């Protein structure tokens, strides 16, 4: 099977292509176009050409098309889930959830865009009025990672389209098929040609051409901090707006009075979800020294119950990692941590670990010290480090002691102390006594090297608009 780019409402062939590999077998299953600079330019031109008409389409009409798009995504739930399962290596159950949350997000932005407002200040100057209006920012470049190819895509494309922007999307080179399918579905739902285009190919080529192209006014990027910094630098040349959703090293703090039985299933799920390829996952757990032994016992027992399996099987908890680079990075990080003195408390097993797919066992490390390299880098795999703490002040210092600031989790029955900790933790979101459940109405994004700007919510929608002030005298 061969897949092309999607430009101006039709397939666009390219001279070069590369193989797509199934992470659970290591075998090629399709080929995909690698966009040259001229292909990226034609996608951007199509987006620019359609921008004038799309921005003048009544908001209610844009909203109806987006609702139809969401409905079509739901109709294609099984097909999109299978594509995601195949190209990401994500267990089918989780892939279905991702499809449904992508559809819900499209519906949300279709509604929220109808509530977007400007302002007319009450100034009282005679025969003069100031109008503060919002306008769509223009052509948007959307660059997304492999781990949540559908939900990260709609977090960018849906608000952009809802406010009247047009889009060129560049999915991750390993996971382009869901994005291509979404663009076709959007067209079938009534989106005019040129409004949502897709270019495929490696990031340093197709992605870079898109960012460096002079036309896009906003680059909305989700990916690693390292590439995010490069994209930020490239955007500064054209003074382009940039939204960056980057890496994490999210801490969970479990105080002595936490409800251990109650939190254990969620904490394990949050640490190993998507085989650890998840920016909001808990990669560091700090446990009060009084309950450390008991916590370790419970946590290890739950992790031992996780099933490593084929992504297509219904009872699989952990599928493969997405590609060999991710696998070798996790292997290196764990080996280095052990050399630096970390202990391996648990390592899962499965015959699949000796096969051709990119499987890595769920692993629990202990004895992590703040200067170990595993705490300085993001760990994008099923590995969690558990440490004990003696005082709240010390643990806040350790939780904040990385370059990242995406999310954090606090477990205690003392809500006053929890709130105090939440205020001191440097993170875009803090959950208290509840593990990650992100609502569409709430902003989503990181502090420090975890990002810039916010997605979801009305704040995420407003990012795709610019304010203009009109001084009207009459
Ligand atoms: P990545 O390597 O940074 O890639 C992300 C995207 O950037 C891919 O489409 C990639 O293309 C592209 N890219 C690479 N080099 C580029 C360049 N020079 N110019 C323009 N684009 C370029 O990240 P990943 O490994 O796919 O994804 C995992 C990362 O995403 C993790 O760090 C994770 O924390 C982060 N993430 C963050 C959030 C959040 O909300 N904060 C959500 C999900 C994921 P190719 O892969 O095709 O080269």
């Amino acid at each position: 099977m061969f897949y092309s780019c999607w430009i101006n409402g039709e397939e666009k062939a390219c001279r070069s292509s590369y193989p797509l590999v199934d992470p659970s077998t290591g075998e090629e299953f399709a080929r995909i176009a690698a966009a040259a600079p001229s292909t990226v330019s034609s996608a951007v031109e199509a987006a620019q050409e359609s921008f004038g008409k799309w921005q003048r389409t009544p908001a209610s009409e844009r909203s109806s098309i987006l609702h139809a798009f969401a409905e079509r995504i739901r109709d294609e739930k099984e097909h999109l889930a299978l594509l995601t399962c195949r190209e990401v290596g994500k267990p089918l159950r989780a892939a279905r959830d991702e499809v449904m949350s992508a559809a819900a997000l499209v519906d949300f932005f279709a509604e929220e865009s109808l509530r977007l407002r400007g302002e007319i200040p009450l100034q009282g100057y005679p025969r003069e009025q100031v109008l503060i209006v919002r306008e769509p920012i223009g052509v948007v470049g959307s660059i997304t990672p492999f781990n949540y190819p559908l939900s990260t895509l709609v977090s960018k494309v849906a608000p952009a389209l809802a406010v009247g922007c047009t889009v060129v999307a560049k999915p991750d080179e390993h996971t382009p098929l869901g994005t291509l399918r979404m663009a076709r579905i959007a067209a079938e739902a009534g989106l005019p040609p040129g409004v949502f285009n897709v270019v495929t190919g490696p990031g340093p080529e197709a992605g870079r051409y898109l960012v460096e192209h002079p036309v896009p006014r906003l680059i909305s990027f989700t990916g690693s901090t390292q590439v995010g910094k490069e994209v930020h630098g490239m955007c500064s040349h054209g003074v382009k707006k940039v939204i960056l959703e980057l890496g994490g090293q999210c801490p969970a703090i479990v105080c002595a009075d936490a409800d251990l039985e109650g939190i254990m299933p969620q904490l394990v799920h949050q640490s190993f979800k998507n085989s650890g390829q998840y920016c909001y996952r808990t990669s560091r757990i700090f446990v009060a020294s009084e309950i450390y032994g008991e916590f370790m016992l419970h946590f290890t027992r739950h992790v031992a119950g996780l099933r490593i399996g084929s992504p297509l099987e219904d009872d699989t908890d952990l599928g493969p990692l997405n590609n060999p680079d991710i696998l070798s990075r996790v292997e290196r990080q764990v080996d280095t941590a052990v050399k630096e003195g970390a202990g391996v408390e648990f390592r899962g097993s499965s015959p699949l670990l000796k096969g051709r797919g990119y499987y890595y066992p769920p692993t629990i490390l202990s004895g992590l010290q703040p200067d170990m390299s595993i705490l300085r880098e993001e760990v994008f795999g099923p590995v969690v480090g558990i440490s004990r703490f003696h005082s709240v002040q010390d643990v806040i210092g350790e939780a904040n002691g990385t370059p990242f600031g995406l999310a954090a989790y606090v477990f205690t029955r003392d809500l006053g102390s929890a709130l105090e900790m939440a205020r001191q933790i440097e993170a875009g979101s803090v959950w208290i006594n509840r593990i990650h459940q992100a609502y569409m109405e709430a902003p989503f994004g990181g502090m420090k090297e975890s990002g810039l700007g916010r997605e979801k919510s009305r704040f995420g929608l407003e990012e795709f608009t610019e304010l203009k002030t009109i001084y009207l005298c009459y």
Side-chain angles (χ1 to χ4, degrees), residues 144-145 170 172-173 203 207 221-224 230 245-247 279 378:
T144 43
K170 204 305 277 178
D172 188 275
E173 65 185 299
F221 173 89
T222 299
S224 61
E230 272 180 59
E245 296 292 341
L246 308 178
C279 50
E378 181 177 38

